Amino acid sequence: MVFSPDDMRFDKIFSNGTVVTPAGVMRCDVGVVGETIAYLGDLNKAAAEEIIDCTDLHILPGVIDSQVHFREPGAEHKENLVSGSRAAVLGGVTSVFEMPNTNPPTVSAEALQDKVARAVNRMHCDFAFWVGGTHENAANVGELERLPGAAGIKIFMGSSTGDLLVADDAGVRAILQNTKRRVAVHSEEESRLNERKDLRIAGDASSHPIWRDETAAILCTERLVKIAHETNSPIHVLHVSTKQEIAFLQLHKDLVTLEATPHHLTFSSDDYAKYGNLIQMNPPIRAPEHREAVWWGVEQGLIDVLGSDHAPHTLEEKAKPYPASPSGMPGVQTTLPIMLNYVNMGKLTLERLVDLTSHGPNRIFGISRKGRIAVGYDADLAIVDLNREEIITNASSASKVAWTPYDKIKIKGWPIATVLRGKIVMWQGKVIGEAIGRVVKFI
Ligand code: DOR
């Protein structure tokens, strides 16, 4: 053995857990020195400041949620960086990439620096911020995407919450030409959304997927992929929601990565009768065949990451009659429990889940030292009890809006602890310690 644990002194040892490592799921101890994973193996006899017994528990890499809306600045009555990050760590999430449709939007170096300054000493998880690509900043996106704290450039090709919008080919091309990093895109065809506005039925959210139909999604995605090929640019299609995109995008994996959300995997148009505006979001919850297609993408390895698209609006706002009701639902706290439940149901393996929540973001965004339980990586861990049954409730929601679309749903599989760079930041449903979050670094 090159390095013997007998010669090492650990700050923490997470002992006797079942660990999801790049080599497979195995019983081993995880030795941490400072903020870093230093040893995987039998540490039975090793010395440590603290030993955390993980018997009967699974140790996963912390979840990296690459799509959240934390609403600060501008709409802090819905969420802020503190409340959003508390919800994150309660759900086993150790890093978030936050979206630019705040007020003011994150479209300049100043706005990005403002968000980073607000996040330091206030966020409980690590963070990066997407910068919105616009017609005005298209010439500067190459510099913006390289600033500390930038997750990359995000384009809204269809309008959603806020007024960020680049719908035209020339605008999208200008941004893709000037970027090197993977550009994330909300892909819905704006012209079609405008043409079809009259199809919205007042007071009936089930008309949302009729208005913003699957054709709007695929038309935009085809146009986007064509431009990406012309400019040879890596792109990331956010919240893929249609079987047409699943069929099309598998032919373009040279440049394209795909995100799925837990709510597109869970809800269908059959659920509008029960949930109404609560499940109104963009792109919409659609007919069951689309949900099944996204599941197929998960099963077949086509989907690269899961993002929660945590997009909180208050219950009061959601109660406005459709279409005055805003689109979006909370989710950062529930991604891991909901998906562990699917693991228990046999819908996906634990390895595939970790591939989606941790390895996937690490791989496609080039995240430094995060997303794998491996020596030299940050000790970012989600410690979960796969056998624990819980009922998700609005009352347990740490988001400022204090509701979840999964209220009263019973699930099996629950995060017990969240570890951020070696520090326990959540233990048994309680956020622990100071807000130590800092910027995620990229390779
Ligand atoms: O439903 C959505 N809500 N989709 C988006 O793209 C934006 C989000 C929000 O910010 O509310």
Side-chain angles (χ1 to χ4, degrees):
M1 193 187 302
V2 187
F3 299 103
S4 164
D6 300 344
D7 305 331
M8 299 170 76
R9 185 159 182 91
F10 298 96
D11 291 309
K12 284 194 181 70
I13 293 174
F14 295 88
S15 67
N16 295 319
T18 304
V19 187
V20 184
T21 78
V25 181
M26 60 178 76
R27 283 294 297 273
C28 72
D29 303 321
V30 180
V32 174
V33 175
E35 302 191 332
T36 308
I37 297 168
Y39 196 87
L40 300 173
D42 184 356
L43 293 174
N44 211 6
K45 297 196 183 69
E49 295 291 315
E50 198 181 350
I51 296 178
I52 296 106
D53 181 14
C54 296
T55 305
D56 295 334
L57 300 175
H58 280 73
I59 305 179
L60 281 44
V63 173
I64 301 169
D65 188 340
S66 44
Q67 185 178 190
V68 302
H69 302 261
F70 281 175
R71 308 301 192 204
E72 181 178 344
E76 286 103 316
H77 67 287
K78 299 177 200 262
E79 200 74 283
N80 66 20
L81 296 174
V82 179
S83 58
S85 68
R86 288 176 66 89
V89 297
L90 285 164
V93 175
T94 46
S95 299
V96 295
F97 296 0
E98 205 268 346
M99 281 292 165
N101 58 336
T102 43
N103 188 11
T106 323
V107 293
S108 64
E110 293 70 36
L112 173 65
Q113 279 149 10
D114 175 55
K115 273 197 178 172
V116 171
R118 287 165 182 270
V120 173
N121 295 327
R122 285 176 68 236
M123 285 187 72
H124 291 265
C125 61
D126 285 352
F127 50 81
F129 297 100
W130 291 102
V131 176
T134 66
H135 291 105
E136 292 72 30
N137 71 10
N140 308 324
V141 286
E143 289 108 68
L144 290 169
E145 70 175 355
R146 284 199 303 275
L147 293 172
I153 304 296
K154 150 92 183 265
I155 308 176
F156 282 90
M157 287 181 74
S159 43
S160 191
T161 304
D163 24 301
L164 288 173
L165 182 66
V166 180
D168 59 309
D169 281 7
V172 173
R173 190 177 294 114
I175 293 169
L176 292 188
Q177 262 165 357
N178 290 331
T179 43
K180 290 211 166 57
R181 294 180 70 182
R182 186 173 296 282
V183 172
V185 185
H186 180 121
S187 177
E188 288 185 279
E189 187 62 40
E190 182 69 5
S191 59
R192 189 169 171 94
L193 300 185
N194 285 330
E195 279 160 22
R196 294 169 66 83
K197 277 198 165 138
D198 289 348
L199 294 172
R200 295 178 296 181
I201 299 169
D204 182 2
S206 73
S207 61
H208 199 59
I210 297 168
W211 166 38
R212 304 179 82 111
D213 68 349
E214 57 267 39
T215 307
I218 186 66
L219 284 178
C220 189
T221 297
E222 283 173 350
R223 196 157 62 80
L224 166 66
V225 169
K226 188 163 177 287
I227 301 168
H229 279 298
E230 283 164 20
T231 56
N232 198 27
S233 305
I235 54 165
H236 182 56
V237 182
L238 296 160
H239 36 45
V240 171
S241 64
T242 68
K243 72 172 184 202
Q244 288 83 350
E245 288 168 291
I246 292 288
F248 172 69
L249 290 175
Q250 60 187 278
L251 309 174
H252 299 281
K253 286 297 284 183
D254 50 343
L255 290 176
V256 183
T257 55
L258 293 80
E259 177 197 69
T261 73
H263 43 270
H264 284 112
L265 292 170
T266 301
F267 299 108
S268 79
S269 48
D270 296 342
D271 295 312
Y272 285 108
K274 179 169 176 197
Y275 294 96
N277 300 351
L278 293 184
I279 58 164
Q280 173 198 334
M281 68 152 312
N282 304 326
I285 299 296
R286 304 186 189 278
E289 58 177 340
H290 296 291
R291 177 180 58 189
E292 298 326 311
V294 181
W295 266 115
W296 185 87
V298 167
E299 285 152 20
Q300 299 287 318
L302 176 62
I303 304 284
D304 295 280
V305 299
L306 286 172
S308 70
D309 193 8
H310 177 83
H313 299 284
T314 66
L315 283 174
E316 202 181 5
E317 291 161 343
K318 279 295 216 179
K320 290 182 187 166
Y322 180 83
S325 45
S327 294
M329 58 181 115
V332 69
Q333 193 177 340
T334 45
T335 294
L336 188 56
I338 289 290
M339 296 308 297
L340 291 173
N341 192 48
Y342 284 130
V343 169
N344 272 316
M345 288 164 69
K347 292 281 282 179
L348 79 169
T349 63
L350 201 55
E351 292 92 324
R352 178 65 175 128
L353 174 58
V354 166
D355 186 43
L356 290 164
T357 54
S358 307
H359 299 168
N362 162 280
R363 172 173 57 83
I364 72 173
F365 298 120
I367 300 172
S368 177
R369 296 163 45 120
K370 288 185 182 293
R372 288 155 71 89
I373 297 184
V375 166
Y377 271 61
D378 286 352
D380 291 354
L381 310 173
I383 303 175
V384 307
D385 183 347
L386 268 182
N387 289 315
R388 179 149 154 189
E389 294 188 335
E390 284 279 344
I391 298 175
I392 296 176
T393 62
N394 288 342
S396 60
S397 166
S399 167
K400 272 203 182 182
V401 298
W403 67 275
T404 160
Y406 307 104
D407 183 45
K408 299 191 182 67
I409 292 184
K410 187 176 175 195
I411 59 145
K412 189 173 175 187
W414 198 253
I416 302 294
T418 306
V419 179
L420 179 64
R421 288 180 274 103
K423 293 225 168 50
I424 295 174
V425 293
M426 185 279 279
W427 182 258
Q428 294 283 6
K430 296 226 161 21
V431 178
I432 308 281
E434 306 288 305
I436 59 163
R438 65 177 188 221
V439 289
V440 171
K441 297 206 174 86
F442 296 89
I443 296 160

